[in-house]
Amino acid sequence: MTATEWTENLPTNHVMMRLIDYESNKTIGNEILCDPCKFANEKTKAKVHCHECKEYFCEQCLSYLHKRKRDNNTHTITTITEDMPLKPFEVDELCPVHSGKVLEAYCFDHGNLCCSLCFMTNHRKCDVKSLDEIANDKKEDLNMDDFISKLVETEQSTESLIKDKNEKIAQLDKNKEEILQTVNGILSDTKSHLDSLYEEFKKSTEKTFLNSEENQKDYVEWLVGFQKTLINCRRMANAVREHGSGKQIFVTKERLKFSLEKHFQRMTLSMQYSGYDEQYEADIEEELSEIQRWSKLASLKGKKLDKHALRNFEKTMGSLTERCNKFLCTIPVQVVSFPQHSVPFQFLGKIWRIECTKDGSSLGMYLELISGDKSDCSRYVSAELRIIHTSDNTKDKVQKFTHRFSEAEPDWGYESFINWIFLVSKSNGFISNGLMKIQVKLTQP
């Protein structure tokens, strides 16, 4: 799901709708308009307000849209008077978990708004107050100035992060072009150098083969000359054999033998150098042959950039959304392997989680700082780790510690938090449906 699709699927915020109405009504004589008519781009003055539907109706829409639904017959309808002020914050908010229920209370342990069913299901043992009680409690800080100030700070931090990320995007594109240009430049230079070396090798090879061919031709010329000498000698020997005397035969044979020997000596003496009857092969440099076995030309290696903008965003966002210092999670105990981790939670603008380990007969439990600038976590954090008993909170297993979390020591806890057999025994009441409930309470001393 994209960010746009996510925002389009957000539930209707009735308080925000009433606020928009309030701003609109300032310009139209403080009149309250009918909600169904507004959806049809019509401006009709509303006559009544339905508390359950959280909508205003004109007489026609009340009769033909609202009253014709059977379930709406029990809704509370209030007539709008001329002097009735629009109070957007008096609109009841629906519970996002239990359909038809409105939010009535707030759990200070978990930082959750609750309906009556939420309270009965998950918050009976918690510090819970009704919303009316909170609104009338003079000790409660209902001033929005500090929250708005944090909103502005977070808005600025978000804008800074957007700017930083856009700069990173532009930098990535520039970085890509620089890498491609560098590799392409090296490749072009390498090709040019190889072409130059090839031309030199080609000239040298052509010269070597030309010399070898000329030597072979000289060799052939000598052999052809020697062949002619042999033919002449054979003719003379045949003539003397047919017509010469014995003395003439002997003399001629010795003279021909001497002449052939001298001719052969001159021929072989002129051919005493290398290059005859040779074949060549290229002795290619090993590095050049190795290139053909390469599977890639280059690889990318990432490097960490400054995350100052992201750290500021995490810090301001954590300050804005922090609601409580108690966090509840469940961990399965009927699992094949450990460690097991809780869902991450936020405290002091940083992201934390619980890690459970199992070593022999003991269950270990640790608090981990997993996100945020660990180098600036110079202050100590006190933690209370608690395995909640399913029926009696006096039997909860509790351990406490204080630790300064840092890059060197991002986690802290207990190697042996509770005996494993004691934990999983049904009679001891810590496990329900294969799960144990863990609560961590964080404070800064």
Side-chain angles (χ1 to χ4, degrees), residues 122-262:
N122 298 315
H123 304 281
R124 285 180 297 170
K125 299 179 182 179
C126 301
D127 180 11
V128 177
K129 288 184 179 180
S130 71
L131 297 182
D132 290 334
E133 184 181 0
I134 293 173
N136 296 322
D137 190 349
K138 294 181 179 180
K139 295 181 180 180
E140 290 294 337
D141 183 13
L142 302 180
N143 192 338
M144 290 287 282
D145 292 345
D146 183 56
F147 180 71
I148 293 173
S149 176
K150 289 181 179 179
L151 279 173
V152 172
E153 184 182 357
T154 307
E155 207 176 317
Q156 294 170 347
S157 180
T158 304
E159 179 65 27
S160 176
L161 185 60
I162 291 171
K163 181 181 177 182
D164 179 73
K165 291 304 176 186
N166 284 329
E167 290 175 354
K168 291 291 193 303
I169 291 171
Q171 189 176 355
L172 279 173
D173 189 61
K174 182 180 178 181
N175 187 212
K176 176 195 70 176
E177 293 302 324
E178 287 176 351
I179 289 174
L180 293 177
Q181 288 177 9
T182 299
V183 174
N184 185 59
I186 293 173
L187 192 59
S188 297
D189 291 345
T190 302
K191 288 179 179 178
S192 178
H193 184 59
L194 288 174
D195 289 340
S196 176
L197 292 178
Y198 174 72
E199 290 300 322
E200 292 180 8
F201 177 73
K202 180 180 178 182
K203 291 178 182 178
S204 175
T205 300
E206 288 176 345
K207 183 178 180 180
T208 298
F209 274 81
L210 180 60
N211 290 337
S212 182
E213 288 173 3
E214 290 176 351
N215 291 334
Q216 294 294 340
K217 289 177 181 179
D218 289 342
Y219 193 27
V220 170
E221 288 180 4
W222 280 103
L223 289 173
V224 169
F226 185 67
Q227 185 183 37
K228 291 178 179 180
T229 300
L230 288 173
I231 293 172
N232 290 333
C233 289
R234 176 172 56 79
R235 289 175 179 174
M236 187 175 292
N238 283 333
V240 170
R241 183 185 62 180
E242 294 294 331
H243 307 288
S245 63
K247 177 181 177 181
Q248 188 65 44
I249 291 173
F250 177 78
V251 171
T252 299
K253 184 171 67 172
E254 291 301 318
R255 286 182 63 188
L256 292 176
K257 288 169 62 178
F258 180 78
S259 176
L260 287 172
E261 183 179 1
K262 290 295 182 179

Side-chain angles (χ1 to χ4, degrees), residues 391-423:
S391 60
D392 186 354
N393 57 11
T394 63
K395 295 181 180 181
D396 292 351
K397 176 64 178 177
V398 182
Q399 295 277 20
K400 302 177 182 180
F401 68 82
T402 298
H403 177 67
R404 186 173 69 183
F405 291 83
S406 65
E407 191 74 45
E409 290 184 311
D411 54 24
W412 198 259
Y414 301 92
E415 183 179 3
S416 179
F417 189 89
I418 190 173
N419 181 273
W420 176 259
I421 297 177
F422 179 81
L423 171 70

Side-chain angles (χ1 to χ4, degrees), residues 15 48 58 79 119 162 169 186 198 206 236 252 262 278 282 329 336 341 358 367 377 400 445:
V15 173
V48 297
C58 64
T79 301
F119 171 73
I162 291 171
I169 291 171
I186 293 173
Y198 174 72
E206 288 176 345
M236 187 175 292
T252 299
K262 290 295 182 179
E278 286 189 355
C329 60
V336 177
H341 298 97
K358 183 175 178 293
L367 175 64
C377 196
K400 302 177 182 180

Side-chain angles (χ1 to χ4, degrees), residues 39 48 74 139 167 200 204 272 279 305 311 380 443:
F39 296 147
V48 297
T74 59
K139 295 181 180 180
E167 290 175 354
E200 292 180 8
S204 175
Q272 293 298 318
Q279 291 292 324
L305 299 176
R311 289 197 296 267
Y380 283 87
T443 56

Side-chain angles (χ1 to χ4, degrees), residues 352-366:
W352 309 75
R353 71 179 179 185
I354 299 297
E355 179 185 71
C356 291
T357 63
K358 183 175 178 293
D359 184 13
S361 60
S362 297
L363 176 79
M365 193 179 300
Y366 301 87

